[in-house]
Amino acid sequence: MLKSLAGSRVLVTGASRGIGKGIAAVFAEAGCNVLITGRDEDALARTADELSGRAPDGAQVAWLAADTAEPADCRAAAEETVRRFGGIDVLCANAGVFPADALPDMTPESLQRVMATNFNGTVYSVQACLDALAASDLGRIVVTSSITGPVTGFTGWSHYGASKAAQLGFIRSAAIELAAKGITINAVLPGNIRTEGLDDLGEDYLSRMSASVPLGRLGSVSDIGYTALFLASREAGYITGQTIVVDGGQVLPESLDALGAP
Ligand code: NAP
């Protein structure tokens, strides 16, 4: 049994919906005080309200509109978490975008937006939380990467895959620097997780992807939330600079034939 994280102070970026919301829900249900960010104020307010209703008495869910691609917004999110809860014990750097752009059509603006949100935003969020995490007796960072880029490839997502692989290059060196401050940093690599963002890709995509997963279903946002909770736990304190693939076995088959019955 893992020791409770109740009362821990958690910042989750990109958490008005999707995986970030799922991560925030798991921490809130575990009794943590959670601050969620995103850019859409109405969506954030609705999500914070919903998650507050799922949290045990005493645990708070607050929100701040903050663009993770902007260093000043990342600092504001860290400061608001400290102002509301007295510190930061866990940062979940999750905000990300995944526009599909085939190479001939990829514009400098799209490339810039993907890298600025997914990669730069991860670095800015970590930098903004460093002092507070160093002052915490927990000091955990969990980054949401992806199987796309670090392990697999997908037409249209070469920029996205590069941004997700860049996050892993970042955590390996950051882990060494942060170890001296008692902070761990690890990454979760989700496969295809059922979120609003994934739903936008359409029914055809969703059914083809489920068929390619050995466990026979898309992942749920809580599959990622529980992995983040484990990496944030006291018991995971000797794990740093590492990655966990959470994909129902999706990266395993050598071919479609490999998925068939023996
Ligand atoms: P989603 O449903 O589109 O949700 C994305 C969340 O991030 C929203 O709350 C969005 O709110 C926020 N966001 C986007 N850009 C932002 C920015 N610049 N600053 C702050 N917040 C921002 O996406 P998702 O599927 O949950 O993906 C979340 C993370 O998981 C991403 O890092 C993605 O790469 C990763 N991932 C997802 C899957 C999957 O299957 N779904 C698989 C592998 C990895 P606003 O738009 O209001 O800002």
Side-chain angles (χ1 to χ4, degrees):
M1 175 70 97
L2 300 181
K3 291 192 191 80
S4 169
L5 284 182
S8 297
R9 299 138 324 166
V10 182
L11 168 58
V12 187
T13 69
S16 59
R17 65 180 204 168
I19 288 176
K21 179 180 173 186
I23 292 172
V26 165
F27 280 97
E29 285 165 6
C32 300
N33 295 312
V34 183
L35 187 124
I36 61 172
T37 70
R39 292 161 303 170
D40 178 336
E41 296 195 352
D42 291 342
L44 283 165
R46 272 197 309 275
T47 298
D49 197 39
E50 179 192 330
L51 298 188
S52 296
R54 289 161 63 176
D57 281 352
Q60 300 173 49
V61 180
W63 62 271
L64 183 78
D67 184 340
T68 200
E70 297 294 336
D73 283 21
C74 294
R75 287 194 294 275
E79 283 161 13
E80 182 67 2
T81 311
V82 172
R83 190 185 70 75
R84 281 182 173 269
F85 306 141
I88 304 174
D89 302 302
V90 182
L91 163 67
C92 296
N94 166 82
V97 289
F98 37 93
D101 291 310
L103 271 174
D105 310 323
M106 190 184 293
T107 61
E109 292 73 25
S110 184
L111 176 60
Q112 157 69 13
R113 175 171 167 252
V114 167
M115 293 306 291
T117 307
N118 299 1
F119 174 64
N120 297 8
T122 299
V123 179
Y124 298 148
S125 298
V126 168
Q127 287 180 311
C129 293
L130 272 190
D131 289 347
L133 287 167
S136 160
D137 69 353
L138 195 61
R140 299 276 189 271
I141 302 169
V142 182
V143 171
T144 308
S145 175
S146 177
I147 57 169
T148 310
V151 188
T152 61
F154 207 107
T155 300
W157 279 328
S158 55
H159 50 0
Y160 172 76
S163 73
K164 295 280 128 179
Q167 289 176 308
L168 303 191
F170 169 69
I171 70 161
R172 293 190 179 108
S173 292
I176 300 171
E177 284 189 40
L178 298 180
K181 298 177 189 294
I183 300 168
T184 68
I185 180 166
N186 295 287
V188 183
L189 279 56
N192 277 258
I193 307 301
R194 191 80 196 254
T195 63
E196 294 88 336
L198 208 75
D199 283 349
D200 291 344
L201 301 175
E203 264 312 315
D204 273 3
Y205 175 89
L206 296 177
S207 60
R208 281 201 315 278
M209 289 319 290
S210 324
S212 69
V213 177
L215 282 177
R217 65 168 175 89
L218 298 181
S220 70
V221 294
S222 40
D223 288 326
I224 307 305
Y226 287 118
T227 309
L229 187 73
F230 168 68
L231 289 171
S233 68
R234 295 197 181 278
E235 289 78 358
Y238 204 53
I239 303 172
T240 195
Q242 300 303 310
T243 61
I244 300 184
V245 171
V246 182
D247 73 340
Q250 188 178 339
V251 300
L252 300 175
E254 290 180 3
S255 70
L256 289 177
D257 285 351
L259 279 168

